[in-house]
Amino acid sequence: MMAGSVSIAGTGERIGRGLPIEAAVHEVVRDALAGAGLSLSAIDMVVTVGSDVLDGGMVGTRSGIAGAYGRELLTVPSSAGHAFATAVSMLDSGQAGTVLLAGWGEGTKFAALDGRIIQADPFYARPLGADASAIAALQAQRLLADGRMSLERLTEYGAAMRMRADLADDKTAGMQEWLAPNWSDGACALVLAAGSGAVRVVDFGTAFRPYCPDPADLDPAVWVREAVERIGHTFDEDLAAVEAGGPSALCEVAALAPILDSAGWRPLDPRVNATGGGAMAFFGPATGLRHIIAVADALADTSGSGIAIDLAGPIGQATTVVALQGAKQ
Amino acid sequence: MTMEETRAVDVHAVFRHSAGRLGSVFLSSLRDGRLLGWKTGTPARVMVPPKDLGGDGEWVEIGPGARLEAYVPIGWSAETDRDSCLALVTVDGADTALLTRLRPAAEKETLAPGARLTIRFADARHGAIGDFWFEQAAV
């Protein structure tokens, strides 16, 4: 268990379709630094996440815009949760005193061409058409068939989240709206610092499954429980905010179950996914940073705790649970 | 507002992958019209497709029956194919599930997980995972 010696000092985010990403990265970094009351020269290390198959070539360019020139840079070719964990570990281990974490994604490209099938096994999955939408549909059908999820709950949750995200009129190319990501563009930045601050990082836990897990193991609730067990902290009494960011509403509502059941909250509680969830503005692997920021914002000037669940991969199988706490006495 | 012009651009990248010591046997057997599982580990499990855990094992012929674990109902994914859909099945004699194609594609209301299936091999086989598919077994 971590000692809780890392704090979120500043944040910035830009979300929207057609976002000019280079400008957005610059703006969110500027916002995060301003929130932390720091200049770029005070940053020891830059950690970036946003390398997907469609913008991998831009990692270097955007990392430079984020402030990586002349300082240590870690580009994490993985999920937001993984990148956040990397940044926290750098601070917790004393390898840096301040870390600028920046992530971005151009999800609108995926609406035209979802390249994630490249992740699928070239012998046994890719030739069969195991694209991300098909794997997500297998997950959905299995959860529904097992009685772990109901169409009524999914429909209610999906509609409510779309309203929160102000996407009520959007269509999802004929797919079930609770199954399809609502592709967006986005950039997020956080300044993390060793020592105390307004919101401290309590701990994080992870769970991971392959591109197409075993059919008996397709429930994100199981992965979240596994990740939570790695966090030596309980949240029953002071829980104030919960966010889950994943590629589909189905995956989010399933993942939320263990936390909400423990707290006695309903999925439509206003303290849950105030942003509308990740599926409503999905910009790829970095999406989870937005939800960490949302929880941090909710906890500022409070003493409450909060949880951000990052669900990356086609069905949320790269799961990271981040626990935060407001530091107000 | 002007309409954005688009053009289809075909990007063709060819890679040569080794199928490995187990995958080579598995894929060759498909060309011969046989589905094999790799029995290995303690306790022994039959894996299909085979995973090379580095240990010894033996090949066992599995099927032709199978259990449907899940499939992609029509309209649930971006796929527009109506002749077949992606499915997860557990082949009789195997301990792991297999991604495969189910023919024909089905609506959610017409087929449920747990259904009995049977394997079908293509007349022309190439030693690839697409050499076979599953259909509902006759009752």
Side-chain angles (χ1 to χ4, degrees), chain A residues 17-246:
Chain A
R17 293 193 181 90
L19 201 65
I21 293 292
E22 281 73 25
V25 170
H26 177 70
E27 289 168 9
V28 299
V29 166
R30 189 186 56 200
D31 290 353
L33 288 169
L38 296 174
S39 66
L40 190 56
S41 61
I43 297 297
D44 296 333
M45 181 182 288
V46 175
V47 177
T48 64
V49 58
S51 51
D52 57 57
V53 292
L54 294 179
D55 72 359
M58 296 303 290
V59 169
T61 300
R62 291 169 185 167
S63 295
I65 292 170
Y69 289 125
R71 46 187 55 82
E72 292 216 45
L73 168 67
L74 291 174
T75 56
V76 180
S78 186
S79 64
H82 186 179
F84 184 84
T86 300
V88 170
S89 295
M90 290 295 112
L91 291 158
D92 210 39
S93 62
Q95 295 184 66
T98 50
V99 172
L100 173 62
L101 170 60
W104 56 81
E106 294 183 86
T108 48
K109 288 181 183 173
F110 282 74
L113 174 65
D114 189 339
R116 287 178 293 171
I117 198 169
I118 292 173
Q119 297 173 34
D121 184 296
F123 290 107
Y124 308 128
R126 201 183 307 168
L128 295 169
D131 65 32
S133 72
I135 297 291
L138 287 177
Q139 178 189 43
Q141 208 220 24
R142 186 71 198 201
L143 294 185
L144 290 165
D146 288 349
R148 294 170 185 243
M149 186 63 61
S150 72
L151 271 174
E152 293 72 23
R153 170 173 267 204
L154 272 176
T155 305
E156 179 187 47
Y157 174 85
M161 292 303 127
R162 293 178 80 79
M163 292 298 287
R164 287 184 192 181
D166 198 21
L167 292 166
D169 296 330
D170 281 7
K171 302 299 179 194
T172 51
M175 290 175 62
Q176 305 288 338
E177 69 176 15
W178 39 264
L179 198 52
N182 206 309
W183 296 110
S184 176
D185 304 320
C188 294
L190 298 92
V191 172
L192 300 168
S196 59
V199 177
R200 75 181 180 97
V201 180
V202 176
D203 210 341
F204 56 83
T206 61
F208 180 79
R209 297 294 188 277
Y211 186 86
C212 184
D214 187 277
D217 190 20
L218 289 168
D219 188 354
V222 173
W223 311 333
V224 167
R225 279 193 199 95
E226 191 176 305
V228 167
E229 281 174 8
R230 294 179 177 152
I231 300 176
H233 190 84
T234 56
F235 306 91
D236 299 352
E237 293 179 4
D238 59 354
L239 191 64
V242 177
E243 287 273 332

Side-chain angles (χ1 to χ4, degrees), chain B residues 47-132:
Chain B
M47 294 186 286
V48 59
K51 282 182 187 166
D52 195 344
L53 305 178
D56 293 335
E58 62 175 319
W59 292 103
V60 293
E61 194 148 352
I62 57 175
R67 170 191 158 90
L68 178 64
E69 301 289 355
Y71 67 101
V72 180
I74 290 171
W76 279 34
S77 81
E79 189 167 69
T80 54
D81 182 11
R82 294 292 184 268
D83 294 330
S84 69
C85 64
L86 191 71
L88 263 175
V89 307
T90 300
V91 183
D92 292 353
D95 293 305
T96 62
L98 172 71
L99 268 180
T100 187
R101 301 294 298 186
L102 174 69
R103 293 186 180 181
E107 305 277 357
K108 177 184 172 292
E109 295 75 19
T110 59
L111 189 59
R116 291 297 301 167
L117 308 174
T118 192
I119 196 168
R120 295 278 184 259
F121 281 93
D123 292 335
R125 297 184 292 274
H126 310 284
I129 197 72
D131 282 350
F132 66 93

Side-chain angles (χ1 to χ4, degrees), chain B residues 28-45:
Chain B
S28 299
S29 299
L30 294 179
R31 189 183 292 119
D32 299 333
R34 296 192 307 148
L35 182 62
L36 298 182
W38 176 244
K39 186 175 181 180
T40 189
T42 308
R45 297 173 74 227

